[in-house]
């Protein structure tokens, strides 16, 4: 199992890798045109924490972020294509859960979007179900570029 490293900031090289994973794995309408836009996005995150899923070499094959938005602890995770389906996503989520009491996010809940390489973007909704997230079907994010459902996780208290 790859190692997971927690950081409060990313180096320029780490940002390059993270942006590459973002643009390869998210639907093409969510791709960032370049590093300036990606930096602006990262700079907008309040009190962020980053989790890097490190591979055998010096790089990483997945990453996650936790941050505050309107006082709520939000998150996202993404894995490179070759790292999917191996339990790494669950390991990354478990690292977030070990550090946080609750997580709030948005998940595309349909298979209508296409990645930059032309392949379909598969909804990760079942992945979050398997990892004990609650799907809040009544709470949706509908914009010109994104249709998603809210998911939450709460630690047992």
């Amino acid at each position: 199992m790859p190692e997971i490293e927690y950081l409060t900031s990313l180096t320029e090289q780490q940002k390059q890798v993270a942006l590459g994973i973002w643009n390869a794995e998210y639907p093409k309408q969510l791709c960032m045109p370049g590093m300036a836009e990606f930096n602006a996005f990262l700079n907008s995150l309040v009190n962020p924490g980053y989790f890097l899923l490190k591979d055998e070499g010096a790089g990483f094959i997945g990453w996650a972020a936790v941050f505050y938005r309107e006082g709520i602890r939000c998150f996202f995770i993404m894995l490179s294509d070759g790292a999917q389906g191996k339990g790494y996503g669950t390991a990354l989520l478990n690292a977030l859960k070990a550090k946080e009491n609750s997580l709030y996010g948005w998940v595309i809940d349909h298979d209508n979007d296409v990645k930059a390489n032309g392949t379909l973007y598969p909804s990760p909704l079942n992945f979050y179900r398997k990892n004990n997230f609650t799907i809040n079907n009544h709470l949706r994010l509908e914009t010109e570029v994104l249709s998603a459902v809210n998911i939450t996780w709460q630690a047992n208290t």
Side-chain angles (χ1 to χ4, degrees):
M1 181 66 68
E3 174 189 340
I4 297 171
E5 180 180 8
Y6 175 77
L7 303 165
T8 55
S9 64
L10 299 175
T11 66
E12 288 306 310
Q13 181 182 9
Q14 290 166 335
K15 289 178 187 178
Q16 288 285 345
V17 175
L19 176 59
I21 295 171
W22 179 293
N23 283 343
E25 299 308 324
Y26 270 2
K28 66 181 175 183
Q29 73 270 23
L30 298 178
C31 287
M32 301 269 179
M35 190 52 70
E37 293 82 2
F38 191 59
N39 276 326
F41 169 74
L42 292 178
N43 289 336
S44 76
L45 302 180
V46 176
N47 193 23
Y50 303 101
F51 298 78
L52 303 184
L53 182 68
K54 301 187 121 195
D55 64 7
E56 300 290 322
F60 59 97
I61 54 176
W63 69 293
V66 291
F67 54 95
Y68 284 101
R69 177 147 300 140
E70 298 177 7
I72 298 169
R73 198 62 165 163
C74 299
F75 82 102
F76 60 82
I77 73 168
M78 58 190 75
L79 299 176
S80 63
D81 186 51
Q84 295 174 20
K86 299 178 179 177
Y88 299 161
T90 296
L92 203 47
L93 265 183
N94 287 340
L96 272 69
K97 290 175 177 180
K99 200 151 188 62
E100 304 293 333
N101 291 321
S102 63
L103 296 168
Y104 181 98
W106 298 99
V107 174
I108 294 172
D109 60 343
H110 56 80
D111 295 323
N112 304 325
D113 290 331
V114 176
K115 297 196 273 185
N117 68 4
T119 62
L120 282 178
Y121 174 82
S123 169
L125 197 58
N126 285 331
F127 165 76
Y128 288 106
R129 265 194 195 103
K130 285 191 296 189
N131 283 283
N132 301 314
F133 277 75
T134 300
I135 313 304
N136 301 310
N137 288 311
H138 63 281
L139 189 54
R140 297 196 57 83
L141 179 64
E142 299 290 343
T143 70
E144 291 180 11
V145 296
L146 183 64
S147 175
V149 67
N150 173 253
I151 59 169
T152 58
W153 171 82
Q154 186 74 42
N156 294 330
T157 53

